[in-house]
Amino acid sequence: MSLRDTTDSPRRRIIEAAIELLESGGPDAVSTRAVAAAAGMQPPAIYRHFGDKDGLLEAVAEHGYAQFLESKRAQLDPAPQDPVEELRRGWDMVVEFGISRPELFAVMNRATGSASDAAHRAGLEILRGRVRRLAAAGWLRVDEELAVQIIQATGQGGVTTWHSTPAERRNPALLTVLRESMVAAVTRAEPTVPAAESGPAPAARALRAALPDDADVLSDAEQRLLREWLTRLAAEVACRRPDPPSADLVQVAAREHGPITKRRPPR
């Protein structure tokens, strides 16, 4: 929280008044006159602190993100023993927030200002960190960025579908099915890296074992070079810098496809 948003600051009072009106009456209830009256101020105070109504809604979104992230950090384990179960818990928290505070959730998702965008990125970094831990432990079955997108899409889609469905037709099983579909889409049934091991060596052994003999993404020389690197990583030779890769392999790969360092993966 910034110094300008301390609990007794006029700016904080305006934001909290706007959120109260938003959640009790929807977006139409958040007029500058109504917000100023609820905060015990004059309408010019809105323009002085936020510029206009859009600026106020950006501040509301930023405040909402800050509240949510504070709650999420407090409830989630920074080093979970079961990263898949923690993925479920994190997904549930987002969906529960969206279902219990739909108007604020909608404003947060529509916000495009720099402050709310920074808060949104902070939330994404938390998610990406958890996805990275899943990948490091051998749980991910898809690319990390795709996993992040699947997690976001199923959570936001679940909230949107819930609120667009008449109350009498809402079925909580929908959210459970969506969550488990998300888990099945991004994680494996068993990790490729043994739970008792950590670091690059077990990951290298897992990748080396999974490499197909006839992969068409890499040339033969590049595959041999990759296997050599993975073998060295998997060996876990302590306190010794590994020898450089075989000059012959580097030269062959360079002749076939140019310098290794400049090669980009196909899109």
Side-chain angles (χ1 to χ4, degrees):
M1 182 191 303
S2 62
L3 292 176
R4 64 180 180 170
D5 286 347
T6 53
T7 54
D8 59 346
S9 71
R11 191 177 189 278
R12 175 69 173 266
R13 284 161 51 197
I14 293 170
I15 291 172
E16 291 181 342
I19 291 175
E20 185 175 348
L21 288 170
L22 174 69
E23 297 196 308
S24 62
D28 292 341
V30 187
S31 66
T32 54
R33 186 176 299 275
V35 172
M41 299 180 185
Q42 296 299 316
I46 306 290
Y47 300 100
R48 186 166 61 252
H49 286 286
F50 305 100
D52 54 19
K53 180 179 176 180
D54 289 340
L56 173 58
L57 290 177
E58 287 289 341
V60 164
E62 179 190 6
H63 186 76
Y65 274 120
Q67 280 189 323
F68 176 67
L69 291 178
E70 183 179 355
S71 172
K72 192 171 185 180
R73 288 190 180 106
Q75 294 184 53
L76 292 179
D77 187 347
Q81 294 296 314
D82 187 340
V84 177
E85 189 58 33
E86 198 74 350
L87 173 62
R88 288 188 173 93
R89 290 188 61 212
W91 191 92
D92 284 346
M93 287 181 64
V94 172
V95 171
E96 287 167 6
F97 183 86
I99 287 176
S100 63
R101 308 188 72 174
E103 299 296 348
L104 179 57
F105 189 78
V107 168
M108 289 164 59
N109 283 325
R110 288 196 299 267
T112 58
S114 59
S116 59
D117 186 54
H120 176 65
R121 287 199 304 272
L124 270 182
E125 286 308 307
I126 293 176
L127 174 58
R128 288 195 174 105
R130 295 190 176 279
V131 169
R132 173 61 55 85
R133 283 192 285 275
L134 284 166
W139 283 103
L140 273 195
R141 67 163 64 245
V142 296
D143 174 79
E144 290 179 36
E145 188 58 34
L146 178 57
V148 168
Q149 293 174 13
I150 292 171
I151 295 165
Q152 285 187 296
T154 52
Q156 293 177 1
V159 171
T160 300
T161 302
W162 182 269
H163 289 302
S164 64
T165 302
E168 68 276 8
R169 293 175 54 194
R170 292 172 184 166
N171 187 343
L174 166 70
L175 303 178
T176 302
V177 170
L178 274 177
R179 183 192 64 200
E180 294 309 306
S181 297
M182 174 275 297
V183 171
V186 303
T187 67
R188 303 174 183 274
E190 295 291 337
T192 56
V193 178
E197 300 185 72
S198 62
R205 287 195 290 270
L207 177 56
R208 184 181 58 185
L211 283 177
D213 294 330
D214 57 350
D216 57 4
V217 176
L218 302 175
S219 69
D220 290 343
E222 288 169 329
Q223 286 189 67
R224 292 197 300 272
L225 183 58
L226 177 58
R227 288 183 185 278
E228 180 178 338
W229 283 337
L230 292 174
T231 298
R232 294 184 180 193
L233 281 172
E236 286 190 302
V237 178
C239 302
R240 181 174 71 85
R241 181 180 295 275
D243 297 331
S246 300
D248 291 342
L249 286 179
V250 174
Q251 291 173 2
V252 171
R255 283 198 302 270
E256 292 185 7
H257 293 284
I260 298 295
T261 55
K262 294 184 180 181
R263 183 170 175 81
R264 297 178 179 272
R267 296 185 180 276

XYZ file of all heavy atoms in Angstrom, residues 196-230:
263
model
N 11.918 -36.898 -4.356
C 13.036 -36.827 -3.422
C 14.230 -36.082 -3.999
O 15.185 -35.791 -3.291
C 13.462 -38.230 -3.009
N 14.205 -35.757 -5.289
C 15.332 -35.103 -5.932
C 14.958 -33.687 -6.334
O 13.800 -33.358 -6.533
C 15.765 -35.891 -7.168
C 16.197 -37.308 -6.872
C 16.732 -37.984 -8.115
O 17.838 -37.635 -8.549
O 16.032 -38.857 -8.650
N 15.974 -32.840 -6.449
C 15.752 -31.483 -6.890
C 16.976 -31.008 -7.645
O 18.029 -31.647 -7.618
C 15.481 -30.560 -5.691
O 16.605 -30.540 -4.826
N 16.850 -29.860 -8.321
C 17.971 -29.321 -9.066
C 17.959 -29.750 -10.515
O 17.095 -30.500 -10.969
N 18.953 -29.294 -11.287
C 18.966 -29.577 -12.730
C 19.286 -31.021 -13.088
O 18.890 -31.484 -14.158
C 20.048 -28.628 -13.256
C 20.942 -28.372 -12.083
C 20.044 -28.385 -10.883
N 19.998 -31.738 -12.241
C 20.424 -33.097 -12.608
C 19.256 -34.046 -12.841
O 19.193 -34.698 -13.900
C 21.372 -33.662 -11.551
N 18.294 -34.177 -11.905
C 17.172 -35.083 -12.178
C 16.324 -34.615 -13.351
O 15.803 -35.433 -14.100
C 16.386 -35.083 -10.868
C 16.808 -33.867 -10.134
C 18.239 -33.648 -10.521
N 16.203 -33.295 -13.513
C 15.438 -32.782 -14.657
C 16.133 -33.136 -15.965
O 15.493 -33.498 -16.951
C 15.268 -31.263 -14.532
N 17.466 -33.041 -15.966
C 18.218 -33.394 -17.169
C 18.075 -34.876 -17.483
O 17.938 -35.269 -18.649
C 19.697 -33.030 -16.979
N 18.105 -35.720 -16.444
C 17.937 -37.158 -16.683
C 16.560 -37.455 -17.264
O 16.407 -38.287 -18.163
C 18.139 -37.921 -15.368
C 19.586 -37.984 -14.927
C 19.792 -39.032 -13.839
N 19.180 -38.645 -12.578
C 19.806 -37.939 -11.626
N 21.050 -37.524 -11.823
N 19.196 -37.646 -10.491
N 15.528 -36.749 -16.728
C 14.168 -36.981 -17.219
C 14.036 -36.546 -18.673
O 13.431 -37.248 -19.491
C 13.160 -36.235 -16.340
N 14.609 -35.390 -19.002
C 14.511 -34.901 -20.381
C 15.299 -35.797 -21.327
O 14.829 -36.123 -22.417
C 15.031 -33.464 -20.464
C 15.051 -32.833 -21.860
C 13.666 -32.880 -22.502
C 15.571 -31.398 -21.788
N 16.471 -36.226 -20.901
C 17.281 -37.104 -21.753
C 16.542 -38.408 -22.045
O 16.546 -38.904 -23.173
C 18.609 -37.388 -21.062
C 19.589 -38.211 -21.902
C 20.868 -38.478 -21.125
N 20.591 -39.170 -19.872
C 21.517 -39.434 -18.956
N 22.768 -39.046 -19.156
N 21.194 -40.064 -17.843
N 15.868 -38.939 -21.037
C 15.133 -40.194 -21.231
C 13.931 -40.010 -22.136
O 13.514 -40.946 -22.833
C 14.679 -40.731 -19.872
N 13.350 -38.797 -22.134
C 12.135 -38.564 -22.915
C 12.418 -38.162 -24.354
O 11.504 -38.150 -25.179
C 11.286 -37.481 -22.236
N 13.660 -37.833 -24.685
C 13.962 -37.377 -26.036
C 13.743 -38.498 -27.045
O 14.309 -39.582 -26.904
C 15.416 -36.902 -26.123
C 15.750 -35.530 -25.550
C 17.244 -35.267 -25.667
C 14.974 -34.446 -26.286
N 12.953 -38.255 -28.092
C 12.774 -39.279 -29.127
C 14.016 -39.373 -30.002
O 14.774 -38.412 -30.135
C 11.570 -38.765 -29.929
C 11.607 -37.285 -29.733
C 12.140 -37.050 -28.340
N 14.209 -40.520 -30.598
C 15.386 -40.717 -31.442
C 15.261 -40.010 -32.787
O 16.259 -39.717 -33.429
C 15.623 -42.213 -31.677
C 16.001 -42.928 -30.390
O 16.619 -42.285 -29.516
O 15.655 -44.124 -30.266
N 14.042 -39.747 -33.216
C 13.837 -39.193 -34.555
C 13.115 -37.850 -34.518
O 12.271 -37.568 -35.361
C 13.043 -40.178 -35.425
C 11.709 -40.546 -34.786
O 11.494 -40.189 -33.610
O 10.888 -41.172 -35.482
N 13.418 -37.019 -33.494
C 12.768 -35.701 -33.409
C 13.134 -34.867 -34.636
O 14.303 -34.767 -35.007
C 13.197 -34.988 -32.134
N 12.124 -34.259 -35.290
C 12.399 -33.488 -36.499
C 12.603 -32.004 -36.221
O 12.810 -31.214 -37.135
C 11.265 -33.673 -37.512
C 9.905 -33.284 -36.939
O 9.848 -32.810 -35.781
O 8.895 -33.461 -37.657
N 12.560 -31.607 -34.940
C 12.782 -30.206 -34.599
C 14.269 -29.875 -34.650
O 14.669 -28.793 -35.061
C 12.216 -29.899 -33.189
C 12.535 -28.462 -32.781
C 10.709 -30.118 -33.171
N 15.113 -30.825 -34.240
C 16.553 -30.627 -34.226
C 17.211 -31.516 -35.274
O 16.720 -32.597 -35.593
C 17.124 -30.969 -32.841
C 16.568 -30.199 -31.649
C 17.142 -30.754 -30.347
C 16.859 -28.713 -31.769
N 18.358 -31.064 -35.768
C 19.141 -31.904 -36.684
C 19.817 -33.009 -35.872
O 19.854 -32.974 -34.635
C 20.199 -31.047 -37.390
O 21.192 -30.648 -36.448
N 20.387 -33.975 -36.576
C 21.087 -35.061 -35.888
C 22.218 -34.517 -35.025
O 22.436 -34.965 -33.891
C 21.645 -36.066 -36.912
C 20.539 -36.867 -37.583
O 19.415 -36.885 -37.037
O 20.796 -37.461 -38.648
N 22.962 -33.552 -35.575
C 24.079 -32.985 -34.822
C 23.587 -32.254 -33.575
O 24.197 -32.353 -32.504
C 24.881 -32.034 -35.706
N 22.501 -31.527 -33.731
C 21.964 -30.799 -32.581
C 21.440 -31.755 -31.521
O 21.590 -31.512 -30.315
C 20.858 -29.845 -33.034
C 21.389 -28.647 -33.807
C 20.281 -27.848 -34.482
O 19.256 -28.459 -34.871
O 20.436 -26.631 -34.611
N 20.824 -32.839 -31.944
C 20.358 -33.833 -30.966
C 21.522 -34.446 -30.209
O 21.458 -34.633 -28.990
C 19.558 -34.931 -31.679
C 18.181 -34.499 -32.127
C 17.356 -35.678 -32.613
O 17.002 -36.556 -31.826
N 17.067 -35.714 -33.896
N 22.624 -34.756 -30.914
C 23.783 -35.323 -30.233
C 24.375 -34.322 -29.250
O 24.781 -34.676 -28.146
C 24.833 -35.761 -31.259
C 24.414 -36.958 -32.111
C 25.606 -37.603 -32.796
N 26.300 -36.675 -33.679
C 25.980 -36.481 -34.965
N 24.965 -37.147 -35.506
N 26.681 -35.644 -35.703
N 24.415 -33.051 -29.662
C 24.944 -32.011 -28.783
C 24.060 -31.841 -27.551
O 24.560 -31.733 -26.421
C 25.032 -30.683 -29.552
C 25.634 -29.484 -28.807
C 27.055 -29.806 -28.336
C 25.628 -28.256 -29.712
N 22.747 -31.851 -27.748
C 21.827 -31.729 -26.613
C 21.984 -32.901 -25.657
O 22.017 -32.725 -24.430
C 20.382 -31.648 -27.118
C 19.291 -31.597 -26.038
C 19.491 -30.409 -25.099
C 17.902 -31.528 -26.692
N 22.093 -34.092 -26.204
C 22.262 -35.269 -25.339
C 23.571 -35.188 -24.550
O 23.640 -35.591 -23.390
C 22.221 -36.546 -26.179
C 20.832 -36.882 -26.693
C 20.823 -38.189 -27.462
N 19.511 -38.430 -28.046
C 18.475 -38.947 -27.386
N 18.620 -39.273 -26.101
N 17.315 -39.130 -27.984
N 24.611 -34.660 -25.179
C 25.882 -34.521 -24.474
C 25.730 -33.548 -23.305
O 26.202 -33.805 -22.193
C 26.971 -34.035 -25.438
C 28.333 -33.879 -24.754
C 29.425 -33.435 -25.720
O 29.251 -33.653 -26.944
O 30.432 -32.887 -25.244
N 25.056 -32.407 -23.557
C 24.838 -31.432 -22.480
C 24.009 -32.040 -21.348
O 24.318 -31.860 -20.177
C 24.147 -30.190 -23.032
C 25.065 -29.280 -23.793
C 26.423 -29.189 -23.686
C 24.679 -28.336 -24.777
N 26.918 -28.241 -24.546
C 25.873 -27.695 -25.228
C 23.469 -27.961 -25.349
C 25.870 -26.699 -26.193
C 23.462 -26.954 -26.302
C 24.650 -26.340 -26.733
N 22.941 -32.734 -21.717
C 22.080 -33.331 -20.694
C 22.825 -34.392 -19.892
O 22.631 -34.523 -18.681
C 20.829 -33.936 -21.347
C 19.843 -32.934 -21.947
C 18.726 -33.667 -22.677
C 19.253 -32.021 -20.869
